[in-house]
Structures are given as structure tokens and as C-alpha cells.
Amino acid sequence: MFGHILEALHQLLARRPDAPLTLRWAALLHDVGKARTRAVDPVTGRVSFHGHERVGAELSAEILTRLKLLGDDVRRVSALVGAHMLPLPATEREARRFVHRRRELLPDLLSLMLADREAARGPSSSEASRRAYARGFERVLAALEEQPSAPPPLLGGQEIMALLAIPPGPRVGMAARALAEAAALGEVTTPDGARAFVRAWADGNSTS
């Protein structure tokens, strides 16, 4: 495992010699959760590490906090480690959602994912799988280029509360996040469309 970690760092720096410190830490710590999640199937003997990215994110935060890194740096490394196993999108719509949900981590997240993949598989991966992976990268980069920043909110919190006749609370935030994602995907583009979306969202997510 240590050899893989060093190779991942090597792969990262070969492509991004100017990689920021947070990204370098993420490459070093991306598999730190594997020791605690290692499991062996009693029938097949197959080893798995389910959830190692989530555990790794928690451990990374603990380690870097003890090393007294800045809080923002600790949170970024933890987020990168926690996201490094995400599947790449297979469609343009999925790519827009990927960018919307992980925008603050890009393009560093892609660099980490590629370094991990190349360290694990490298030349042994099939040509078909490499092409599929490259297409996933291209979709994300194209979506990021198309929408480099999040679109401005179509409705504010006060407008959502008035529209749904609800007080301040978690439900307002949930509606705002759903609307923001719909806007990022190009499904809603106008205030009128946003109001219709929020009403439909509320009908489909009734608390009664």
C-alpha cells in the first residue's frame, strides 16, 4: 500500500509539478482509511475496502489538525480524500451535476483521481477502460469550462419562504439547494420557472 501511495504522489507531480500543498497531502493520505476498512470475504478470499474514502477523510482531518495545518487546508484535503472514489460521469448531464456538486474541489479532484488510477493500474488497464476514463474527464472539463462559476440564485431564501408559506429552517435550505442544482443543470433558467420548480419540489417533498 505504501508503494501505491508513493506512486500516486509521483503520478501527481509528473503531471502537476506545481501542485498545491493541499493536493500533495491528499495524494499522500487518500488511502489512509484502508487499514480500518479492510475486509476479507470468507468464501472468495477477496479483499475489499468499502467506505475507505469516508474513513480516510475523517482520519486526514485528524492527522492534519494535529500537524496544525490551517483549518481551510484541513477541510480541503479531507474533502478531496472523501471524494476521490467518485465515478466519473457517463453523460453530459451527469457531468454538469458532478461539477455543480464538486466545483470547489476542481480541477484538483480530477488530478487526484487520475494519479490514484494510474498508480493502481497504469499500463495494465485496458485501452477501452482508458478511453472511457478519458471521456469522463473530458465531460467534466467541458462542463466546467461551460459553467466556470455557479449561476446566481434565481430565488432568495425570503422568496422561497413566502412562496411556500414556511418559516426559516432546514426545508428552506433544501429547496434552495434543489433549485441551485436544477439551475446548474440548465433545467430552470428564469424566476418564473424557478417558482414553478420550487412549488413542484415542495409537493414532491411534503413533510405531512
Side-chain angles (χ1 to χ4, degrees):
M1 186 181 299
F2 185 64
H4 165 73
I5 292 171
L6 291 182
E7 180 60 23
L9 182 60
H10 169 75
Q11 291 288 338
L12 171 67
L13 295 178
R15 293 173 176 79
R16 290 189 60 182
D18 60 343
L21 183 61
T22 50
L23 182 52
R24 297 178 189 220
W25 271 117
L28 282 172
L29 295 171
H30 74 279
D31 278 349
V32 72
K34 279 191 170 181
R36 293 193 182 181
T37 57
R38 186 179 187 276
V40 181
D41 188 297
V43 177
T44 65
R46 185 173 182 177
V47 178
S48 64
F49 304 95
H50 297 303
H52 79 273
E53 66 277 16
R54 176 184 55 78
V55 175
E58 296 170 358
L59 290 174
S60 296
E62 293 175 10
I63 292 168
L64 297 180
T65 298
R66 288 201 301 270
L67 292 175
K68 301 188 183 303
L69 264 71
L70 294 175
D72 286 347
D73 290 347
V74 171
R75 285 185 286 274
R76 184 168 183 82
V77 174
S78 178
L80 285 167
V81 171
H84 82 275
M85 292 296 292
L86 286 173
L88 285 172
T91 66
E92 292 181 3
R93 186 173 186 275
E94 289 177 12
R96 288 192 291 271
R97 177 179 284 113
F98 187 101
V99 168
H100 172 70
R101 293 183 177 181
R102 305 290 175 178
R103 185 186 302 279
E104 293 184 356
L105 298 179
L106 297 172
D108 287 356
L109 178 57
L110 293 181
S111 296
L112 177 61
M113 293 169 69
L114 180 60
D116 181 34
R117 175 183 168 84
E118 289 301 301
R121 300 184 184 182
S124 66
S125 59
S126 69
E127 184 63 27
S129 69
R130 292 177 75 86
R131 282 200 301 270
Y133 206 75
R135 283 197 295 271
F137 262 65
E138 290 166 1
R139 290 187 189 99
V140 173
L141 292 173
L144 184 60
E145 182 177 359
E146 176 186 340
Q147 196 178 82
S149 59
L154 293 168
L155 297 178
Q158 293 291 336
E159 294 172 286
I160 292 174
M161 287 188 285
L163 186 65
L164 301 182
I166 58 175
R171 192 164 170 78
V172 179
M174 292 168 61
R177 287 190 292 274
L179 176 59
E181 181 160 293
L185 295 178
E187 297 171 351
V188 182
T189 58
T190 66
D192 284 343
R195 284 186 277 272
F197 175 89
V198 169
R199 290 191 191 96
W201 177 90
D203 290 341
N205 293 272
S206 175
T207 57
S208 61

